[in-house]
Amino acid sequence: MPDQADQLRELVRETLVLAGGSPAGYVALVGSSVGVGVTTLATSVAQQLASLGARTLVVDANLARPALGPRLGVAASADLHAVLTGRRRLTEATVPAPFGAAVICAKPDPLDQPPQGESLERLVRELHAAAERFDAILVDVGTELTPWGDRICRSSSEILVAGSVRSDDVRSAYALVKSFGGRHPVRLALRGSWEAAGAVARKIGETALQYAGVNPLVHPPAVLVPGDDNAAQAERRSACRLLAAELLAPMRIAHQRRPRTSRDPGRRLAAAREVDPHPADDAPTLSWRP
């Protein structure tokens, strides 16, 4: 009997064939605050995209704190600045990642000022043009959204906000969602228990609908349960794999998202509280299942 991984690969293959090419645009990843793991999420999802057979490009656009190259142990003779200055095309500045994706590294901005004007617009054009050669493009914008990062996010096909269920991260995540004005589809990737993450996503969506008139959270959240044990690591891999598959074949794969803790939610919630003893106090205690 085929396992879930085989089923996901087959669904992705069918979707890419039926679509006649790669999805339009790119996905921008932004964090609600420093330390929520935007680069870790980008590399994990890219690894799963590559394992599903998708031609994947990951771009480190966090010029304030570039971390993709050191994280993967890769170095490049040409980086994102070569693209911004017009010396290289985006596809010419890539280097291979250990898991089969293509990567564009970045170095700290030498002027301590993110490029604007023509340099930024050149990057946006290159990102859209690269969609002709890649099935999936992930752009790590980092945190502390500047006009540079905001422009990249608003030009994307989808925005993925990484955060956690802690109170300060919940407020920051909502501020990010609100800042985009509901004009872009937004997806959340939250670190915490299934129960807390679901409640946070519902709260953010309902608040956005109440005050902005639209709920941009068109998908259930990807839940990254805390913990270093084998079960927690397996759940995070599964969550990233489903997220990767949804980015390629959303309509046929979203229904497969199920909490892996349903067999014993009390045990996992207790374990999560050991890792995060101070969960978000203002998150509603609602039970959520997609």
Side-chain angles (χ1 to χ4, degrees):
M1 180 177 179
D3 60 13
Q4 186 185 51
D6 290 333
Q7 294 173 2
L8 289 177
R9 289 191 192 96
E10 186 58 32
L11 286 174
V12 169
R13 290 191 196 99
E14 291 179 8
T15 299
L16 293 178
V17 170
L18 292 174
S22 60
Y26 59 90
V27 178
L29 286 79
V30 60
S32 60
S33 59
V34 176
V36 294
V38 182
T39 301
T40 298
L41 179 64
T43 55
S44 298
V45 174
Q47 184 174 4
Q48 297 301 331
L49 283 165
S51 72
L52 289 169
R55 296 167 299 176
T56 305
L57 171 64
V58 190
V59 180
D60 191 347
N62 181 5
L63 299 184
R65 297 181 180 88
L68 189 62
R71 178 70 56 87
L72 297 177
V74 299
S77 56
D79 63 5
L80 188 63
H81 284 283
V83 179
L84 293 172
T85 57
R87 291 183 286 114
R88 294 287 184 92
R89 298 294 303 273
L90 193 73
T91 53
E92 297 173 342
T94 64
V95 293
F99 47 82
V103 175
I104 293 183
C105 302
K107 297 177 182 177
D109 186 11
L111 301 178
D112 294 325
Q113 180 73 29
Q116 300 294 325
E118 178 57 28
S119 294
L120 179 54
E121 296 308 314
R122 180 183 293 112
L123 175 60
V124 170
R125 291 195 300 269
E126 287 286 329
L127 287 169
H128 283 287
E132 297 296 324
R133 298 187 58 178
F134 293 94
D135 300 316
I137 301 175
L138 306 178
V139 183
D140 180 354
V141 177
T143 56
E144 302 174 0
L145 203 59
T146 62
W148 153 269
D150 183 75
R151 177 71 176 94
I152 294 175
C153 287
R154 291 180 185 275
S155 300
S156 67
S157 58
E158 185 172 344
I159 301 169
L160 176 57
V161 176
S164 77
V165 299
R166 290 181 178 273
S167 299
D168 52 348
D169 281 339
V170 172
R171 288 190 290 268
S172 298
Y174 173 69
L176 272 174
V177 172
K178 182 181 178 182
S179 72
F180 298 122
R183 292 183 292 273
H184 291 77
V186 179
R187 192 190 300 263
L188 297 177
L190 300 174
R191 187 173 67 249
S193 69
W194 279 96
E195 289 79 6
V200 165
R202 171 174 285 185
K203 180 178 181 180
I204 291 177
E206 290 177 347
T207 305
L209 181 62
Q210 179 181 359
Y211 291 101
V214 61
N215 180 4
L217 303 181
V218 295
H219 301 282
V223 181
L224 308 174
V225 297
D228 296 325
D229 57 283
N230 292 336
Q233 293 178 25
E235 287 184 23
R236 287 197 295 271
R237 285 194 299 271
S238 177
C240 288
R241 192 168 189 81
L242 281 172
L243 177 56
E246 286 176 12
L247 292 175
L248 294 171
M251 297 304 294
R252 300 192 60 190
I253 294 178
H255 73 282
Q256 295 198 22
R257 182 180 293 283
R258 292 292 185 273
R260 300 299 177 191
T261 58
S262 57
R263 294 188 298 275
D264 189 3
R267 179 188 64 79
R268 174 55 64 193
L269 183 58
R273 288 184 179 277
E274 291 179 5
V275 177
D276 183 4
H278 303 291
D281 296 329
D282 58 347
T285 56
L286 301 174
S287 177
W288 174 85
R289 290 292 183 274

